[in-house]
Amino acid sequence: MSARALRRHAALLTALSTEGRRVRLLAETTALRVFHTARAQENRARAHGPRTPSIRFVGWGSPMKCYFITVLVVLSAAFQGCGPVAPDIVLVVMDTVRPDHLSCYGYERDTSPNLSALAESSAVWTNAYSTSCWTAPAHASMFTGLYPVAHRCTQENPDLQPALVSLAEILSDHGYVTIGITENGVLHRESNFSQGFDEYYETWVENTVGSDEETTLGLFSEALGRRVGKQPMFIFINLIAAHVPYEPPQRFLTRLDSGSRQPRCSGEVWKDLLLGRVSLSHEEVACIEAHYDAEIMFVDHVVGRMVGELKSRGRWENTVFVATSDHGENLGD
């Protein structure tokens, strides 16, 4: 595990594009959501019994417009025109990426050229909201379609409850090979976020090359290479680079900042600022934002390499590709 990863907290644009046989999804703070009826979830939670092989999907319809896309919509769109082969599904969660710092949302800095290129052939949603401001409950909602009050993955108990039905389990029931790759230590096996995945990789364990980027992309490439016949794959990836501490690769930082200063951006910096324990000058805040933006540029670069890998393997035309964030970031505002 690299020193950069060790220092990280273990802590869309949503787009649907149909172009010929292609379906693409990008999301600001939420993406692929499975919505079971509340009764079905409650019954299983009480009985701890086996899952029914059938799937029912319902939308929340809440005034908050929270988690607005159901798997029914996604998969029905994906299967149209895709022929007899079910599409692969790739869900990329860009941890801690806020939409107003993405150039595909009109941000003045060109932080997300790869996402912007994808957005050009996509329909764009701007009202997408996360259920939480931090990783565990937000991912639990993504994986179950439930609010934190229902799935109960909270600060007091940051685990995915085994009685719940996960997205990976549902797709596995429908013939998918399910693979998870996480860079965020909050989403570890001990907290049960691996539930339903045939394979689940924690990059801080798998890293033997000293590079977070190459470890994650290597695992992604290997997963694609292991496909057997026409069996579809669901691959979930969490990318944590945009999380504090902001230590972007120098090649991205030099595009935005001299790199001569290391910002004060520990996990407590904004809380301490709001409580009056520290003060930051406008220059220091600008430095922090430059480092954060450079991290987003790096994440966008990794997403671009994933898209390139899918294209080079001839898999892009039959893939539902989802890019989302679990929550945003407090930059002093």
Side-chain angles (χ1 to χ4, degrees):
M1 184 179 183
S2 68
R4 183 169 180 263
L6 283 169
R7 289 190 295 269
R8 295 236 174 259
H9 268 279
L12 136 178
L13 168 84
T14 305
L16 172 62
S17 116
T18 55
E19 187 178 313
R21 294 171 58 188
R22 181 179 308 164
V23 178
R24 299 289 179 266
L25 283 175
L26 290 166
E28 174 216 323
T29 54
T30 181
L32 205 53
R33 300 285 190 258
V34 179
F35 294 96
H36 295 280
T37 62
R39 185 182 299 277
Q41 288 280 22
E42 290 169 2
N43 287 344
R44 187 180 180 217
R46 284 196 297 267
H48 289 254
R51 300 186 308 277
T52 173
S54 63
I55 302 181
R56 291 178 290 169
F57 305 94
V58 296
W60 287 116
S62 83
M64 294 176 64
K65 300 180 181 178
C66 207
Y67 296 140
F68 57 96
I69 296 182
T70 70
V71 166
L72 177 61
V73 174
V74 174
L75 294 185
S76 63
F79 277 96
Q80 290 175 4
C82 286
V85 180
D88 294 329
I89 301 173
V90 178
L91 169 59
V92 182
V93 177
M94 304 175 294
D95 210 296
T96 322
V97 172
R98 50 189 284 173
D100 60 351
H101 279 248
L102 294 172
S103 50
C104 51
Y105 266 130
Y107 188 48
E108 61 270 17
R109 284 173 168 162
D110 189 19
T111 55
S112 57
N114 290 290
L115 291 174
S116 295
L118 186 56
E120 289 177 1
S121 60
S122 303
V124 177
W125 278 262
T126 55
N127 291 321
Y129 299 90
S130 177
T131 59
S132 181
C133 62
W134 71 289
T135 298
H139 277 78
S141 290
M142 276 192 272
F143 286 179
T144 66
L146 298 174
Y147 286 104
V149 69
H151 63 60
R152 299 183 181 181
C153 178
T154 62
Q155 188 78 35
E156 293 75 23
N157 182 34
D159 298 339
L160 185 64
Q161 302 304 305
L164 299 175
V165 182
S166 73
L167 173 60
E169 289 176 295
I170 292 168
L171 292 173
S172 180
D173 285 349
H174 285 72
Y176 277 77
V177 174
T178 55
I179 299 172
I181 303 168
T182 178
E183 295 181 348
N184 192 324
V186 170
L187 305 176
H188 54 78
R189 288 178 174 275
E190 287 73 16
S191 290
N192 199 41
F193 282 94
S194 59
Q195 179 173 317
F197 286 98
D198 298 316
E199 303 172 25
Y200 197 77
Y201 298 101
E202 299 163 328
T203 59
W204 58 95
V205 175
E206 304 293 332
N207 190 343
T208 60
V209 296
S211 166
D212 300 335
E213 175 185 359
E214 296 306 325
T215 297
T216 299
L217 290 170
L219 291 168
F220 178 66
S221 179
E222 290 171 9
L224 292 176
R226 289 197 300 274
R227 179 174 181 173
V228 178
K230 295 182 178 180
Q231 187 175 16
M233 304 184 76
F234 167 55
I235 305 177
F236 156 72
I237 307 105
N238 172 283
L239 302 174
I240 199 175
H243 208 293
V244 290
Y246 311 131
E247 296 176 336
Q250 192 65 31
R251 66 186 186 278
F252 297 104
L253 183 59
T254 52
R255 301 179 193 178
L256 304 177
D257 188 88
S258 66
S260 59
R261 299 161 294 166
Q262 179 60 36
R264 285 193 284 163
C265 52
S266 70
E268 301 296 314
V269 65
W270 297 124
K271 183 177 75 173
D272 289 343
L273 178 65
L274 294 172
L275 292 175
R277 296 171 180 168
V278 299
S279 61
L280 298 174
S281 67
H282 291 299
E283 290 76 15
E284 285 180 305
V285 172
C287 177
I288 289 172
E289 288 197 355
H291 281 67
Y292 175 70
D293 288 345
E295 291 281 29
I296 293 178
M297 293 175 68
F298 172 56
V299 170
D300 178 81
H301 162 74
V302 174
V303 171
R305 288 188 62 183
M306 289 180 179
V307 171
E309 182 74 18
L310 288 164
K311 290 181 177 179
S312 68
R313 290 179 177 271
R315 304 278 287 276
W316 181 245
E317 296 300 322
N318 198 42
T319 295
V320 177
F321 189 87
V322 182
T324 184
S325 179
D326 52 349
H327 57 80
E329 177 69 306
N330 186 343
L331 293 176
D333 36 5

